[in-house]
Amino acid sequence: MKKNILILFLAFYCIKAFPQQTQLILKTEKDIVLNTDKFAMVLSIEENKDVNTIYLGKKLKDEKEYRKINGQYKQAHDYTNMYQSAYTASGTRNLLEPAISVEHADGNQALDLKYVDHKIEDKSPNQKHVVVTLKDQVYPFFVELHYLTNVKENVIEQWAVIKHQEKKAVKLVKYASANISVKGSDFYLRNYHGDWIAEMQPETQKLTHGIKTLDSKLGSRTNLFQTSYFALSIDNPIAENEGTVLLGGLDWSGNFRVDFEKDPQENVRIIAGINNYASHYSLAPNKEFVTPRFTFTLSTQGLGQGSRNLHEWARNSRLLDGNGERLTLLNNWESTYFDFDEKKISHLLENTKKLGVDLFLLDDGWFGNKYPRNADTSALGDWEVNKKKLPNGIFSIVKEAKKTGVEFGIWVEPEMVSPKSELYEKHPKWVVKQPARDEYYFRNQLVLDLSNPEVQDFIFNMMDKLFTDNPGLAYVKWDCNAVIYNAYSAYQKDQNNFYTDYTFGLYKVLERFRAKYPKVPMMLCSGGGGRVDYGSLKYFTEYWPSDNTDPYDRIFIQYENSLFFPAIASANHITTFGNQDIKFKVDVAGMGKMGFDLNLEELHDEELKFAQEAVKNYNLYKDIVWHGDLYRFANPRETNHASLGYVSKDKSKAVMFNYLTKYTHVSKTTNPIKWDGLDANKNYKITEINLYKSGSYLQNDLVLSGDFLMKVGINPILENNRRSVVLLLEEVK
């Protein structure tokens, strides 16, 4: 008896004196393995019902061996047994950044989530949906962790559903979508900052202890300064074709927050979700709060394979009509700005046909009567056709376009209102602004309160009327130019809900629009690239990367966007911006969805002829760019040129874009550029296209094997008077 008491005393003493050792008493009850073709994410259900992420890496052949992983790590002690939590709650034993914090109906702020059960559903041969249900030990508060695996694309979508059965509302203080623990020796983060006309500026850093946060508090146009999309390299610095890299981001068009915390065990915890800045969400009993999805891929072959994973997933599962076609177009903005009438539009329709593109897009300036839209200072919200500019309405232009042999599209900015507008006069409570403070304008406008169902109805009805009044309307450019100042909603009872409900309201409008008009092509523009995310792209066929259309700058912006978004979604226009020749501008626009935004009358005959021929060439290779696989051969930030290639799925065709990015008299490509993604056993005829003012520098009837091109390469011969080269590869049988 005395011996047993002594043993119990010693055991108690060890636990009290060395609390860090208590982690050793926890045992794994079972594992939940989330598999894709190439990698696995493994959740463990511990004996005390904690749920942890114990592995993220290459898929093992034997799933039983996942249980042996933790035993191979001899890291610093986890005092809490929560460092690897799959969804870290705050207020009990957690010492690190939480994924969720709440204030219960009685004011208590503690939460301890324990495993209840999990379900696995095969949604298709390629998709498996896993739902893990957690519950607090004391309160009737529940969290469902959702994981959707896209097997072939090697992509996981993760989100949470939060609900409770307490007597009154619970305040969600923080409510992330994902909480991922990653093990490694070192971690290198590439994230992006920017501003208007300077989007997607990369920064790469080695993560140190503490928290690195990517976030936005702008309310709308939320990617203006930062994007939530990033690349995290594990163990080694970021490389294009080697190393383990996690690429992903939050699929959300509102305020976001992504935390990277290097914990005391030298691991990195990624916590991503809606930004809880000024947004402590009030959740009523028996209601569900569904977080946006955090989408990521894990590549063991560097950035390149990670990009191809995301592109394939986006085309198949997220981007609207991702495997379909796109319309090339001519936009009137730089031809006319606000100054146009029916005669000018008629002439531009003829130019659209003459150029050989599919569609004419009428940009800003077509609406408003009491306050005509003759500048960006009035009329937003008054979506009625300006009778002076277009006395016969939009439908007459749609009919004329059809008669000319082209389609017709139109620009709108539905979320915004001009202080000088009839809408503002009639419905001041629909506007986001503080009731007793000065109004602050961003680009001479304010934002409508999309958290208000009446405003949602107004915007949907406006869009619906545009299409019912104008049958045959074929395209929409949806713009969003302002951020939210003086955030206040006359509709919301709890102002903490505003920022989040604004974005939910936007999605409700887009859901309604797409339910009635599922196939209308629509460009997502937000003062340029201010809203480029997969939360919005499920409703749009393409996005506008930047208002900066100087082709030199666009090379860099488009290159960085290509890490996350497929070329079919990138709207690239040839404009008057930049002092480069027409060839360089066309060649840069070719690595995406091509469009024109210039006055054909200002082109010389030789330039016009080249542009017409370039459109024909684009029609030959656009399918490869839109639906093929992207390979980046040369990063313009690391050398004097950029080089990218797109390869068709059957590897029978490919197209290569090459641009000189440092202009000096001696700058050139001295060495061949190695290809990737071709079939080593195929032979390819190589033809230079988009020739302008001179012939090709390449040998006539040049045929090279895929083996040669991938091991030796080809020199496009870039130099100061030959700044862009496009090569078309076709299999020779």
Side-chain angles (χ1 to χ4, degrees):
M1 181 69 177
K2 289 182 178 180
K3 183 178 180 181
N4 290 339
I5 292 172
L6 178 63
I7 291 171
L8 288 171
F9 173 78
L10 289 172
F12 176 78
Y13 173 78
C14 288
I15 291 172
K16 293 292 285 183
F18 305 102
Q20 64 268 30
Q21 298 298 330
T22 61
Q23 64 177 322
L24 301 179
I25 69 171
L26 293 182
K27 297 179 182 178
T28 302
E29 272 205 343
K30 64 180 77 171
D31 297 332
I32 303 171
V33 181
L34 308 169
N35 277 322
T36 71
D37 269 351
K38 300 295 183 183
F39 78 90
M41 183 176 182
V42 183
L43 308 178
S44 72
I45 303 166
E46 310 293 352
E47 193 172 50
N48 69 345
K49 302 301 181 182
D50 282 351
V51 180
N52 292 333
T53 304
I54 61 168
Y55 184 71
L56 179 62
K58 285 185 178 180
K59 185 165 65 174
L60 300 183
K61 291 182 180 179
D62 184 355
E63 289 192 358
K64 294 178 183 177
E65 291 197 304
Y66 288 122
R67 294 192 180 187
K68 302 174 183 178
I69 289 173
N70 263 358
Q72 301 306 309
Y73 288 88
K74 306 301 178 183
Q75 299 177 322
H77 298 299
D78 178 352
Y79 298 94
T80 64
N81 296 306
M82 291 186 71
Y83 288 1
Q84 296 182 96
S85 174
Y87 201 69
T88 312
S90 67
T92 53
R93 55 197 161 96
N94 174 46
L95 301 176
L96 304 178
E97 182 66 28
I100 183 168
S101 297
V102 305
E103 183 179 309
H104 294 286
D106 63 3
N108 194 299
Q109 297 185 39
L111 193 63
D112 195 4
L113 297 170
K114 297 294 184 178
Y115 172 83
V116 176
D117 62 29
H118 72 276
K119 299 176 183 178
I120 301 174
E121 175 191 4
D122 290 322
K123 294 184 72 68
S124 73
N126 188 52
Q127 285 188 323
K128 181 174 289 187
H129 184 199
V130 178
V131 183
V132 182
T133 301
L134 310 175
K135 180 187 177 298
D136 182 68
Q137 288 185 306
V138 175
Y139 292 88
F141 188 95
F142 304 84
V143 175
E144 292 176 357
L145 302 180
H146 290 251
Y147 303 86
L148 182 66
T149 58
N150 298 269
V151 178
K152 291 187 298 183
E153 297 90 345
N154 295 293
V155 168
I156 292 179
E157 303 167 54
Q158 183 176 349
W159 69 100
V161 177
I162 304 168
K163 51 192 173 183
H164 70 90
Q165 297 166 359
E166 300 186 30
K167 293 181 179 180
K168 295 181 180 180
V170 169
K171 183 186 291 184
L172 305 182
V173 179
K174 189 176 183 184
Y175 35 99
S177 299
N179 183 173
I180 300 173
S181 180
V182 186
K183 284 183 166 64
S185 56
D186 283 308
F187 301 90
Y188 299 84
L189 175 67
R190 179 172 295 173
N191 57 281
Y192 294 86
H193 69 96
D195 203 338
W196 179 69
I197 71 169
E199 291 87 348
M200 294 301 287
Q201 304 297 311
E203 291 180 325
T204 302
Q205 59 199 285
K206 184 176 179 180
L207 290 179
T208 57
H209 291 91
I211 299 178
K212 165 72 176 180
T213 299
L214 312 178
D215 79 333
S216 175
K217 305 179 182 72
L218 305 180
S220 59
R221 196 177 170 180
T222 48
N223 289 340
L224 178 63
F225 298 144
Q226 285 190 320
T227 175
S228 72
Y229 292 87
F230 65 89
L232 180 71
S233 183
I234 302 166
D235 295 330
N236 299 299
I238 293 175
E240 181 65 29
N241 294 312
E242 59 186 14
T244 301
V245 186
L246 188 154
L247 291 91
L250 189 69
D251 305 341
W252 178 246
S253 307
N255 293 343
F256 59 81
R257 175 175 170 180
V258 185
D259 292 323
F260 302 86
E261 180 175 26
K262 192 167 186 182
D263 69 21
Q265 291 187 330
E266 311 296 326
N267 305 319
V268 163
R269 305 168 70 249
I270 304 171
I271 299 177
I274 295 172
N275 197 336
N276 57 333
Y277 161 77
S279 300
H280 297 171
Y281 200 88
S282 180
L283 182 63
N286 300 307
K287 298 290 184 181
E288 289 188 346
F289 185 94
V290 182
T291 72
R293 300 188 184 197
F294 174 76
T295 300
F296 72 95
T297 183
L298 191 75
S299 164
T300 56
Q301 298 173 19
L303 291 174
Q305 187 58 55
S307 294
R308 291 186 287 277
N309 291 347
L310 287 177
H311 296 172
E312 191 72 2
W313 163 81
R315 288 190 295 256
N316 292 338
S317 302
R318 185 59 65 88
L319 181 65
L320 185 66
D321 195 23
N323 290 307
E325 300 298 309
R326 295 293 184 269
L327 297 169
T328 54
L329 60 84
L330 175 65
N331 191 345
N332 73 300
W333 181 244
E334 291 190 23
S335 300
T336 66
Y337 295 99
F338 295 101
D339 182 21
F340 58 82
D341 55 22
E342 287 183 344
K343 185 177 180 180
K344 285 185 179 180
I345 297 303
S346 181
H347 185 61
L348 287 168
L349 292 174
E350 294 173 2
N351 282 349
T352 305
K353 181 67 175 178
K354 184 179 180 181
L355 184 59
V357 294
D358 304 314
L359 175 137
F360 171 74
L361 172 63
L362 179 60
D363 213 295
D364 199 351
W366 57 269
F367 52 92
N369 284 299
K370 181 178 179 181
Y371 304 108
R373 182 70 167 175
N374 295 324
D376 68 357
T377 55
S378 64
L380 285 176
D382 299 344
W383 300 104
E384 53 186 19
V385 179
N386 182 276
K387 295 175 182 178
K388 185 176 180 181
K389 294 180 183 179
L390 305 174
N392 294 302
I394 296 294
F395 186 50
S396 66
I397 305 175
V398 175
K399 290 193 294 184
E400 186 179 355
K402 293 283 189 183
K403 191 179 297 184
T404 306
V406 297
E407 301 290 344
F408 178 79
I410 201 163
W411 176 96
V412 294
E413 192 174 0
E415 300 162 66
M416 306 301 159
V417 61
S418 300
K420 191 177 180 180
S421 67
E422 292 185 80
L423 181 67
Y424 183 90
E425 292 172 350
K426 293 176 182 176
H427 298 286
K429 290 187 176 181
W430 286 7
V431 179
V432 177
K433 63 189 182 77
Q434 289 285 342
R437 298 184 187 275
D438 292 340
E439 293 179 356
Y440 291 98
Y441 305 132
F442 196 100
R443 197 179 163 182
N444 303 306
Q445 59 196 54
L446 293 165
V447 180
L448 290 174
D449 180 7
L450 268 79
S451 74
N452 185 338
E454 288 185 348
V455 176
Q456 296 168 25
D457 289 342
F458 168 77
I459 294 175
F460 171 76
N461 291 333
M462 178 276 288
M463 293 293 294
D464 186 38
K465 188 174 188 299
L466 196 59
F467 277 84
T468 54
D469 288 354
N470 304 290
L473 189 62
Y475 184 93
V476 173
K477 177 181 177 182
W478 180 302
D479 213 340
C480 167
N481 282 301
V483 301
I484 293 177
Y485 286 148
N486 277 353
Y488 178 84
S489 166
Y491 169 77
Q492 291 283 349
K493 293 180 180 178
D494 187 337
Q495 294 301 316
N496 280 299
N497 289 14
F498 166 68
Y499 277 126
T500 301
D501 281 351
Y502 176 90
T503 307
F504 284 143
L506 169 66
Y507 290 163
K508 287 177 182 177
V509 173
L510 291 168
E511 287 279 0
R512 290 175 67 185
F513 178 79
R514 281 306 177 195
K516 188 168 183 179
Y517 304 99
K519 296 183 179 180
V520 175
M522 192 153 66
M523 180 203 291
L524 173 62
C525 181
S526 189
R531 187 186 276 165
V532 183
D533 62 79
Y534 282 119
S536 56
L537 281 172
K538 65 187 290 187
Y539 307 108
F540 292 83
T541 50
E542 58 220 58
Y543 69 90
W544 184 238
S546 177
D547 280 346
N548 183 347
T549 54
D550 183 312
Y552 177 82
D553 292 331
R554 268 300 188 101
I555 289 171
F556 293 85
I557 294 170
Q558 292 168 194
Y559 187 97
E560 300 300 340
N561 271 321
S562 77
L563 266 68
F564 310 102
F565 306 103
I568 191 172
S570 181
N572 305 337
H573 289 188
I574 297 102
T575 76
T576 58
F577 278 38
N579 57 9
Q580 302 85 0
D581 63 21
I582 187 72
K583 170 179 167 52
F584 191 89
K585 294 179 177 183
V586 165
D587 289 351
V588 172
M591 59 170 173
K593 202 226 75 169
M594 180 187 284
F596 289 80
D597 196 337
L598 43 73
N599 189 342
L600 265 59
E601 272 70 35
E602 294 178 357
L603 297 180
H604 301 304
D605 290 343
E606 188 177 22
E607 292 174 321
L608 177 59
K609 185 178 179 182
F610 171 81
Q612 291 169 322
E613 192 63 30
V615 171
K616 293 177 183 177
N617 287 334
Y618 182 73
N619 289 334
L620 295 176
Y621 68 74
K622 65 185 181 183
D623 184 68
I624 308 170
V625 174
W626 294 351
H627 306 121
D629 292 323
L630 167 66
Y631 295 86
R632 291 179 292 265
F633 307 139
N635 186 335
R637 287 187 168 85
E638 297 174 358
T639 184
N640 68 346
H641 60 281
S643 183
L644 306 89
Y646 298 84
V647 183
S648 65
K649 292 297 184 183
D650 63 2
K651 300 184 184 298
S652 66
K653 293 182 179 180
V655 60
M656 182 186 196
F657 297 92
N658 306 277
Y659 314 105
L660 195 68
T661 53
K662 290 184 180 177
Y663 303 157
T664 70
H665 288 293
V666 295
S667 188
K668 59 183 178 180
T669 48
T670 56
N671 299 319
I673 298 171
K674 291 181 182 178
W675 265 84
D676 200 354
L678 299 174
D679 187 331
N681 298 313
K682 292 183 186 293
N683 291 317
Y684 296 92
K685 179 184 177 183
I686 302 173
T687 307
E688 183 176 353
I689 59 175
N690 291 355
L691 298 173
Y692 184 58
K693 292 187 176 180
S694 64
S696 175
Y697 284 26
L698 301 184
Q699 170 191 327
N700 288 333
D701 300 320
L702 178 62
V703 176
L704 295 172
S705 68
D707 183 58
F708 182 94
L709 288 163
M710 290 190 289
K711 292 177 178 176
V712 179
I714 184 171
N715 194 329
I717 316 176
L718 293 170
E719 56 187 33
N720 194 43
N721 63 347
R722 182 179 158 85
R723 296 180 180 179
S724 64
V725 172
V726 180
L727 302 179
L728 187 63
L729 280 63
E730 298 174 285
E731 180 187 1
V732 178
K733 295 183 179 180

